[in-house]
């Protein structure tokens, strides 16, 4: 299985919104509402930001939102802040109790 | 608070095996599964597998089937990941995570364990 497709990088100014796409197939992203998103700061463990496409764990700011249309899921960061600069990974259920991660997107705050 | 503490870095030769531990605290260990994810240097995340801490049921990435074994010890609230027949491309940081939401990763993560494979 190949990794889910994400843009290598996105950037925005503080206060702006950025959206990261995550494209798969009907066998993963398009087939199930089990997409999650992780934020990873350099040298740190990943942090869960979104699960089940659009749900936020306790403590995650509501500036982070998730959605899905067809085979593409998206993570939107509204009101971008300097602390949001990190790598972001999507993850999707891929059937037969397995999961697939995206290749990762570097978010730069200009 | 929920905490997952992993064992220290390892250096192994090709063909050897490695076993990484992940000790959980701050929650009822059998109530959640544990996911293992690895990250090669400068690369993305790779899902390795999942184990139920309740009954030991496991699911593995097809790529690693036959080389990886996940286990748990509920008496010590510890999960283990053993990888055999190590190759240079197994060099990575290995993470365990509590899988509260069946998200493929987890809501609480260990600090990571570097496994370096080199002759």
């Amino acid at each position: 299985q190949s990794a889910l497709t994400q843009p290598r990088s996105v950037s925005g100014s503080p206060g702006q919104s950025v959206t990261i796409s995550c494209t798969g197939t009907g066998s993963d992203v398009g087939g199930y509402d089990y997409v999650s998103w992780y934020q990873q700061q350099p040298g740190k463990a990943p942090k869960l930001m979104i699960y089940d496409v659009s749900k936020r764990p306790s403590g995650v700011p509501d500036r982070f939102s998730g959605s899905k249309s067809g085979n593409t899921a998206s993570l939107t960061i509204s009101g971008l802040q300097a602390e949001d600069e990190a790598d972001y990974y999507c993850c999707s259920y891929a059937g037969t109790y397995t999961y697939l991660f995206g290749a990762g997107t570097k978010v730069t705050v200009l | 608070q929920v905490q997952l503490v992993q064992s220290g870095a390892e250096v192994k030769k090709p063909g050897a095996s490695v076993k990484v531990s992940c000790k959980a605290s701050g929650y009822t260990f059998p109530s959640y599964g544990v996911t293992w994810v690895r990250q090669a240097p400068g690369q993305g995340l790779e899902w390795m597998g999942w184990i139920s801490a309740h009954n030991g049921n496991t699911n593995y990435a097809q790529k690693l089937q036959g080389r990886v074994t996940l286990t748990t010890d509920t008496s010590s609230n510890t999960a283990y990941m053993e990888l055999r027949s190590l190759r240079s491309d197994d060099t990575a940081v290995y993470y365990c995570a509590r899988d509260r939401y069946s998200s493929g990763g987890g809501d609480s993560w260990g600090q990571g364990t570097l496994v370096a494979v080199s002759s």
Side-chain angles (χ1 to χ4, degrees):
Chain A
Q1 286 173 310
S2 299
L4 304 173
T5 300
Q6 296 182 233
R8 290 189 66 113
S9 64
V10 299
S11 61
S13 300
Q16 288 187 328
S17 293
V18 295
T19 296
I20 304 167
S21 61
C22 170
T23 302
T25 69
S27 297
D28 37 67
V29 175
Y32 311 94
D33 287 335
Y34 298 128
V35 176
S36 55
W37 290 89
Y38 296 86
Q39 176 193 70
Q40 187 178 34
Q41 306 280 2
K44 301 286 190 181
K47 176 185 177 183
L48 178 65
M49 306 303 282
I50 296 286
Y51 67 98
D52 291 354
V53 175
S54 60
K55 297 177 181 176
R56 273 188 313 276
S58 173
V60 173
D62 59 7
R63 305 185 289 105
F64 292 86
S65 62
S67 62
K68 193 188 86 166
S69 177
N71 295 338
T72 298
S74 299
L75 173 72
T76 297
I77 310 173
S78 305
L80 197 63
Q81 298 183 4
E83 67 210 50
D84 299 333
E85 187 161 293
D87 293 325
Y88 290 82
Y89 295 90
C90 63
C91 180
S92 174
Y93 181 68
T96 56
Y97 304 104
T98 64
Y99 288 83
L100 195 57
F101 277 97
T105 297
K106 181 175 181 57
V107 170
T108 301
V109 181
L110 301 172
Chain B
Q1 75 282 17
V2 175
Q3 201 170 10
L4 298 170
V5 178
Q6 298 182 221
S7 48
E10 303 259 14
V11 179
K12 296 292 183 180
K13 293 194 181 301
S17 298
V18 68
K19 192 169 186 176
V20 177
S21 67
C22 169
K23 184 169 177 59
S25 61
Y27 71 97
T28 303
F29 184 66
S31 295
Y32 302 100
V34 176
T35 297
W36 289 85
V37 173
R38 69 180 181 178
Q39 186 171 35
Q43 302 301 309
L45 303 175
E46 180 183 10
W47 186 84
M48 298 181 66
W50 173 92
I51 182 167
S52 166
H54 171 64
N55 59 18
N57 285 349
T58 54
N59 300 304
Y60 299 118
Q62 188 174 12
K63 172 183 176 181
L64 297 172
Q65 281 273 8
R67 286 207 301 137
V68 65
T69 301
L70 303 181
T71 56
T72 58
D73 178 353
T74 53
S75 68
S76 62
N77 291 349
T78 303
Y80 298 93
M81 185 284 299
E82 182 180 30
L83 189 59
R84 300 176 293 278
S85 302
L86 289 168
R87 309 188 291 245
S88 58
D89 63 355
D90 290 319
T91 294
V93 175
Y94 290 75
Y95 293 102
C96 63
R98 181 182 78 163
D99 187 24
R100 178 176 180 181
Y101 301 113
S102 297
S103 61
D107 65 309
S108 294
W109 293 65
Q111 82 275 21
T113 296
L114 174 63
V115 175
V117 183
S118 173
S119 54

